[in-house]
Each structure stands twice: as C-alpha cells, then as structure tokens.
Amino acid sequence: DEARASEAILSREDRALVQTAMAWYGFYDAKVDGSFGKGTRQSMAAWQTAFGYEATGVLTSVQRATLVGNYQADQAEFGFETITEPEAGIEIALPSAMVSFDRYEPPFVHYEEKNGSKLRLILISEPGDQAALAGLYDVLQSLDAVPATGDRTLEDGRFTINGTNEKMSAFAYAATSKGAVKGFLALWDPAISAKMLRVLPAL
C-alpha cells in the first residue's frame, strides 16, 4: 500500500524515467510513455526478482530510487549522447566519455578510445539489401580484430556477431532498413566487459 501510494504521486516524467531506467538494464522493451500498464508491471517484477526483492510489480520508493539512481550514474559515467553523422546517414547514442570521432572510411565511421577507455566503435552504413548484409557479415568476421570464437547469427534482415578471446572482445550488429544496411561493431578489452554489459544495450 505504501509503495502504491508513493507511486501515485509520481509525475508522467518520473514514470517515464523509471521505464527508461528499466529499458537501460534490459528489463523493459516497450514504449516509454509514462504509463504503468501490464508490461511495465511485469518489467518491474522482473527487476525486483533479479535484485532479490519480492516480485510485487510495484516498486517501493527505495527500489525506485536505487533503479533510477544507478541509471543516472551510468549516464554520467559513460556520457551517452545522441550523435548524428549526416555524411554516413547514422544516428546513434554513443558513450562520448569513452570514444571520440576518428575518421570516415566508407561504409565505416571510426571512433577511437578516449581517456584510456579500452573501447573502439565502428559505425556502419551502406546501401543494400540482404545480399549486402550477408557480405558485411562475412567481411566483419574476416577482420583480425574480431576473435574467431563466439556465437554468430545471420537471419533474414539482420545479424549479430559475438567474439572473444583473452586479448579482445567484439560485438557486431547490423540490419537492413529502407534499402540500407545499418549497424555497428564494438571492440573492447575484456577487462571492461562488466561495463560493456551496460553500454551495449544502449547502442
């Protein structure tokens, strides 16, 4: 009852922030609209279960403060901001505290590590359909920087590549949309893998 009472006085913006925070941690994948419907309740219950709380589907004020506070700390640490690359036709949320623009090399846009972050990102944008997607899938796996071990999935309209060894980890994602192939390749030192579990969902 206390949890519901504290929730009832939240503004729509506060509710949207809770949904955004849950989405950041992978518990919510629906529209961020500030409305706590069935999907949001299920997401809250899943978050509570994951962190050892009773799965009521209603966050207490302490739980809500923990969720939102951790999310805001992540945003401050990684410096996420929406980057638009009009030359490449890309818009993406990038961790600007960890990477900085380096160069264009069509169909790639390179971002190098910043402040010793041990992360590099390559954005991908090129015209094409499933055939171009399959070609890109093969090209990325041939790169020396992408470890040969790890799961790979090529489906109709998209692919993912996971690669890891003792020196390097990699994750690539690309999909076809409106006659173009869009995606990214992230390369990082395994020492920051815990951070990447928080960065990759935002990418």
Side-chain angles (χ1 to χ4, degrees):
D1 289 342
E2 289 177 359
R4 288 189 180 278
S6 68
E7 182 183 272
I9 62 175
L10 293 176
S11 67
R12 179 171 290 272
E13 290 75 17
D14 289 336
R15 290 169 177 255
L17 181 57
V18 169
Q19 291 174 322
T20 299
M22 287 194 299
W24 169 253
Y25 291 111
F27 292 95
Y28 183 73
D29 61 3
K31 183 178 179 181
V32 174
D33 57 7
S35 176
F36 287 179
K38 182 178 179 181
T40 303
R41 295 295 178 198
Q42 290 174 341
S43 298
M44 289 178 176
W47 182 88
Q48 288 171 320
T49 298
F51 288 92
Y53 300 112
E54 181 183 357
T56 64
V58 181
L59 301 182
T60 67
S61 57
V62 171
Q63 291 169 1
R64 198 164 53 246
T66 298
L67 169 65
V68 171
N70 287 343
Y71 164 71
Q72 291 173 331
D74 281 355
Q75 297 305 298
E77 178 180 356
F78 300 128
F80 270 99
E81 60 180 300
T82 300
I83 301 296
T84 301
E85 294 285 358
E87 185 171 330
I90 295 173
E91 184 174 279
I92 186 171
L94 292 184
S96 61
M98 299 181 75
V99 295
S100 59
F101 173 78
D102 182 58
R103 68 190 187 278
Y104 290 110
E105 192 179 61
F108 306 123
V109 184
H110 294 262
Y111 282 76
E112 294 299 316
E113 73 171 275
K114 181 179 179 181
N115 300 324
S117 69
K118 300 180 180 180
L119 168 66
R120 290 185 293 140
L121 291 173
I122 301 173
L123 310 184
I124 304 162
S125 178
E126 65 177 339
D129 52 14
Q130 182 67 26
L133 185 74
L136 178 64
Y137 177 75
D138 291 337
V139 166
L140 293 185
Q141 293 185 85
S142 72
L143 298 178
D144 291 339
V146 177
T149 55
D151 296 332
R152 275 91 164 130
T153 303
L154 174 62
E155 301 173 335
D156 185 26
R158 65 176 182 159
F159 71 70
T160 58
I161 299 171
N162 282 285
T164 188
N165 59 33
E166 60 184 20
K167 295 182 178 180
M168 179 63 67
S169 292
F171 177 80
Y173 171 83
T176 56
S177 176
K178 300 177 181 178
V181 175
K182 308 281 186 178
F184 69 89
L185 168 64
L187 302 162
W188 67 92
D189 186 312
I192 67 163
S193 290
K195 284 187 177 182
M196 292 306 297
L197 290 176
R198 294 143 64 195
V199 171
L200 288 175
L203 294 176

